[in-house]
Amino acid sequence: NQSNWDAIDVYEYDSRGRKCIATKLGSVHDIPFEDESFDFILANQSIEHWHEYGVSLQDGIDEIIRALSVGGTAHINFPLFLHGHPWFVKGDLNKITGLFHQDQCNIQSITAFQDSDESNYPGWRRCNFPDFYVNRIHNPESSFVVEIVIERIKISNNIKKNIKNINFQPLQRLSSFRRNLFHGVDV
């Protein structure tokens, strides 16, 4: 069975100068494909960083759903208790799963994967987040990766309808200072 694939990235080259595998420059803010273009979408450890480029989590999820065909699945994985948007650092899975509109998609599964050879990997410490910041919602012993699999169940009139992003302009990432301010003065 032959498959075609496409990939988007905000950069043509990574920080080490290697060419990215992207077939198009683009962002989850404006996925450069028509509605219902894909039967399968993978967002690999990117969602926790969308806010750093000024993309709201809800807008990104809505764009993924728009580009996904009815009956298609999206696999979205991300670290918890490590780095990125406060919901991910604090492990607020309820807020994250609340982004998925139940009238447009079903959550098929939520799976956690250990992301380190260490049984207790307090990765947030290595990313300079203090224990008290992470412990506000949970008292985790370890950072780990979570994968949410969704299936699009119907077309919604609430989702944008058109071809997106013909002339992509790279989004500017927030400065390190502004990213830190996003978490508040108590970090």
Side-chain angles (χ1 to χ4, degrees):
N1 191 4
Q2 185 175 1
S3 297
N4 296 322
W5 67 273
D6 283 292
I8 62 170
D9 202 323
V10 294
Y11 300 114
E12 188 172 356
Y13 295 92
D14 71 11
S15 61
R16 295 182 185 159
R18 299 173 297 195
K19 186 155 177 57
C20 295
I21 65 167
T23 58
K24 289 187 180 187
L25 288 176
S27 161
V28 71
H29 176 262
D30 240 352
I31 296 175
F33 295 96
E34 294 182 29
D35 297 352
E36 300 183 66
S37 291
F38 299 99
D39 295 326
F40 179 83
I41 293 176
L42 172 64
N44 187 31
Q45 295 197 26
S46 66
I47 186 175
E48 72 274 13
H49 298 289
W50 295 348
H51 77 285
E52 296 171 17
Y53 293 89
V55 178
S56 81
L57 298 174
Q58 190 64 69
D59 287 348
I61 293 297
D62 288 349
E63 270 292 83
I64 287 173
I65 293 170
R66 180 193 65 77
L68 192 61
S69 63
V70 173
T73 59
H75 294 240
I76 302 167
N77 63 57
F78 48 84
L80 280 187
F81 307 114
L82 186 64
H83 62 261
H85 186 282
W87 292 357
F88 299 90
V89 177
K90 296 176 183 178
D92 197 337
L93 198 55
N94 288 332
K95 285 187 179 175
I96 296 166
T97 57
L99 297 167
F100 300 95
H101 306 291
Q102 293 180 353
D103 64 327
Q104 299 165 14
C105 65
N106 286 327
I107 295 177
Q108 297 294 313
S109 64
I110 301 174
T111 308
F113 301 92
Q114 188 170 342
D115 192 33
S116 174
D117 292 335
E118 298 176 38
S119 59
N120 291 329
Y121 176 65
W124 62 89
R125 291 180 188 156
R126 295 192 177 145
C127 295
N128 298 316
F129 288 104
D131 289 352
F132 70 83
Y133 182 72
V134 175
N135 292 337
R136 284 188 174 162
I137 296 175
H138 301 285
N139 191 8
E141 294 180 359
S142 183
S143 299
F144 51 90
V145 172
V146 171
E147 179 180 69
I148 296 177
V149 177
I150 63 165
E151 177 187 19
R152 184 164 180 192
I153 56 174
K154 73 174 194 171
I155 297 173
S156 171
N157 294 333
N158 296 333
I159 296 179
K160 303 173 216 166
K161 300 285 183 195
N162 55 25
I163 298 174
K164 306 294 286 181
N165 198 1
I166 299 200
N167 296 311
F168 176 72
Q169 296 295 318
L171 302 173
Q172 293 295 315
R173 187 176 188 195
L174 295 176
S175 69
S176 178
F177 177 74
R178 289 193 59 210
R179 288 194 311 268
N180 289 331
L181 282 179
F182 194 82
H183 292 275
V185 295
D186 59 355
V187 174

